[in-house]
Amino acid sequence: MNSDLNDKYRPKSRTVISTFQHATCGILLAIKKERNMKIHVFFALAVICLGWWTSLTKIEWLFVIFAIGGMISLELLNTAIERVVDLVTEEFHPLAKQAKDIAAGAVFAYAILSVIVGLLIFWPKLF
């Protein structure tokens, strides 16, 4: 059993602080272990720097923050789905493939939406 992964035998969280600690652990684990999460974090930081440089309005920041937050959240869900599917079966199964493909599709659809939001906000400021 991999010591980096949360153990299913871990006792349930009893405090609000411990639930936040577990959530933070999950985010950091995904950033550490998942290539696509590293890519999303890199682009999120780049967009935040670009937003600061172009002096986004409060409304523009709102859209950018939702695009970034949604993208990170969906990638976390996609990673969780992939891990659960891998836990259930090591053999190829068409439904396992479909679950992984559908979760990846959700990430891809939101990535397209995020790019569109970014273009609508940044294109006029840069060009």
Side-chain angles (χ1 to χ4, degrees):
M1 189 175 250
N2 189 339
S3 63
D4 284 339
L5 300 177
N6 289 331
D7 192 321
K8 70 178 182 178
Y9 300 109
R10 180 180 61 207
K12 285 212 170 251
S13 302
R14 295 180 191 257
T15 67
V16 172
I17 292 173
S18 65
T19 61
F20 288 135
Q21 289 171 334
H22 296 314
T24 302
C25 177
I27 293 168
L28 294 175
L29 180 64
I31 292 169
K32 180 179 174 184
K33 299 282 186 181
E34 296 295 318
R35 180 194 67 202
N36 287 346
M37 184 59 84
K38 290 175 186 173
I39 292 168
H40 292 308
V41 169
F42 170 80
F43 278 107
L45 294 173
V47 166
I48 289 168
C49 290
L50 186 60
W52 176 78
W53 185 67
T54 58
S55 300
L56 295 182
T57 66
K58 288 181 183 179
I59 297 297
E60 290 169 333
W61 273 117
L62 184 66
F63 281 101
V64 167
I65 289 167
F66 270 95
I68 291 170
M71 193 76 258
I72 299 292
S73 297
L74 272 174
E75 186 61 42
L76 288 167
L77 282 173
N78 180 47
T79 299
I81 289 168
E82 288 180 353
R83 297 279 171 89
V84 169
V85 168
D86 290 344
L87 180 66
V88 172
T89 181
E90 292 182 8
E91 298 176 15
F92 175 81
H93 192 285
L95 290 177
K97 181 184 183 326
Q98 288 175 17
K100 287 183 170 190
D101 289 351
I102 291 167
V107 173
F108 184 58
Y110 202 88
I112 291 169
L113 175 67
S114 296
V115 167
I116 292 168
V117 167
L119 288 173
L120 289 171
I121 290 173
F122 289 108
W123 188 269
K125 295 180 178 298
L126 298 174
F127 304 104

